[in-house]
Amino acid sequence: QVQLVESGGGLVQAGGSLRLSCAASGRTFSSYVMGWFRQAPGKEREFVAAINRNTYYADSVKGRFTISRDNAKNTVYLQMNSLKPEDTAVYTCAADVDYRGAYYQGYEYDYWGQGTQVTVSS
């Protein structure tokens, strides 16, 4: 069982920055593919970014968001810069312990956090 706890959400003005953190339990964290997804009100959940040995981004955040991990701290981060009102959503991290290649698909992931709200005002 892997537990994930996100932090770092909040309210920020357009153009601002936030850094989300996701702390994970588990003794083999370094082997997990970690992902960030988001869901805005009335919309479906969408992929944001993922990391294993490589990093992957949705086109909508490429160049503005950076995913990283610290395996010593069992933590994955999402640095979000140049935030836009359309980035407003609940951001959730997820862990994939048995990677099958579809890092951008929610069904790939085995464990999910509770989510943290990010609100970007215009």
Side-chain angles (χ1 to χ4, degrees), residues 12 18 25 31 34-35 41 45 54 64-66 76 82 84-85 90 100 102-103 106 113 116 118 121:
V12 65
L18 282 175
S25 64
S31 68
M34 297 299 297
R45 182 177 62 195
N54 300 309
R64 300 187 298 122
F65 291 12
T66 302
V76 64
S82 301
K84 304 174 181 180
V90 175
R100 294 169 292 276
Y103 59 84
T116 185
V118 171
S121 63

Side-chain angles (χ1 to χ4, degrees), residues 5-115:
V5 179
E6 301 99 336
S7 61
L11 173 64
V12 65
Q13 289 188 331
S17 299
L18 282 175
R19 188 176 82 153
L20 305 183
S21 301
C22 174
S25 64
R27 291 179 291 178
T28 57
F29 173 79
S30 61
S31 68
Y32 305 160
V33 175
M34 297 299 297
W36 286 96
F37 289 76
R38 68 186 182 186
Q39 187 166 19
K43 295 187 177 181
E44 294 188 353
R45 182 177 62 195
E46 64 174 358
F47 168 74
V48 176
I51 184 169
N52 47 15
R53 295 185 187 87
N54 300 309
T55 56
Y56 310 92
Y57 297 94
D59 288 343
S60 60
V61 306
K62 202 171 293 184
R64 300 187 298 122
F65 291 12
T66 302
I67 188 171
S68 62
R69 67 193 300 162
D70 185 338
N71 291 331
K73 295 182 178 180
N74 277 22
T75 300
V76 64
Y77 304 96
L78 185 68
Q79 177 67 44
M80 306 185 294
N81 298 329
S82 301
L83 282 160
K84 304 174 181 180
E86 51 263 44
D87 294 317
T88 295
V90 175
Y91 284 71
T92 306
C93 70
D96 177 2
V97 303
D98 184 20
Y99 185 50
R100 294 169 292 276
Y103 59 84
Y104 51 92
Q105 297 283 9
Y107 63 69
E108 171 75 41
Y109 293 83
D110 306 291
Y111 300 97
W112 295 81
Q114 293 299 310

